[in-house]
Amino acid sequence: MITVESLREYGANVDEGLTRCLNKEDFYLKMVNLGLKDERFEKLGEIVASKDLNAAFEAVHALKGVVGNLALTPLLEPIEKMTELLRNHTDTDYSEYVSQIKSEREKILSM
């Protein structure tokens, strides 16, 4: 079960996330759970594999907003890096970023 304490141990900036959720722990945890269920997490690998950089940017940029507002810092870091590369239409292998994102998300989901 995801708790405020387990998110702190994970490295999330819980205080920042709580501030955005009116300092209500139950609301923050509900938003974390909803955010981690965002379908773009599941589709990101497929989108990147299709080489549609615009669609990949849209997906990862949306995830950046969700994860950033929840202050899930370790998950946010690879998302931010990938977002900036895609913003600049950098032709590179994005599979490592997708793998890092999936791994960090799984760490939270397994709490």
Side-chain angles (χ1 to χ4, degrees), residues 36-54:
L36 293 173
K37 292 178 184 175
D38 191 307
E39 66 183 25
R40 288 172 281 233
F41 281 113
E42 298 299 327
K43 294 182 179 182
L44 188 58
E46 294 171 28
I47 296 168
V48 168
S50 75
K51 304 269 188 211
D52 184 345
L53 298 183
N54 289 325

Side-chain angles (χ1 to χ4, degrees), residues 17-108:
L18 280 169
T19 298
R20 290 191 177 113
C21 292
L22 308 171
N23 290 313
K24 295 182 179 183
E25 285 186 20
D26 59 333
F27 181 56
Y28 175 64
L29 294 172
K30 180 179 180 180
M31 292 297 100
V32 168
N33 282 301
L34 284 173
L36 293 173
K37 292 178 184 175
D38 191 307
E39 66 183 25
R40 288 172 281 233
F41 281 113
E42 298 299 327
K43 294 182 179 182
L44 188 58
E46 294 171 28
I47 296 168
V48 168
S50 75
K51 304 269 188 211
D52 184 345
L53 298 183
N54 289 325
F57 172 76
E58 292 297 324
V60 80
H61 188 261
L63 290 173
K64 178 183 169 191
V66 171
V67 173
N69 280 322
L70 296 170
L72 303 174
T73 311
L75 176 56
L76 181 60
E77 290 171 356
I79 290 173
E80 285 180 326
K81 290 176 186 173
M82 189 173 171
T83 300
E84 290 313 306
L85 289 169
L86 286 165
R87 183 185 313 277
N88 295 313
H89 292 87
T90 304
D91 186 21
T92 190
D93 181 5
Y94 290 97
S95 61
E96 183 60 33
Y97 292 102
V98 172
S99 179
Q100 288 174 345
I101 292 165
K102 285 184 179 188
S103 174
E104 291 300 328
R105 178 178 174 240
E106 286 302 317
K107 286 178 187 176
I108 301 169

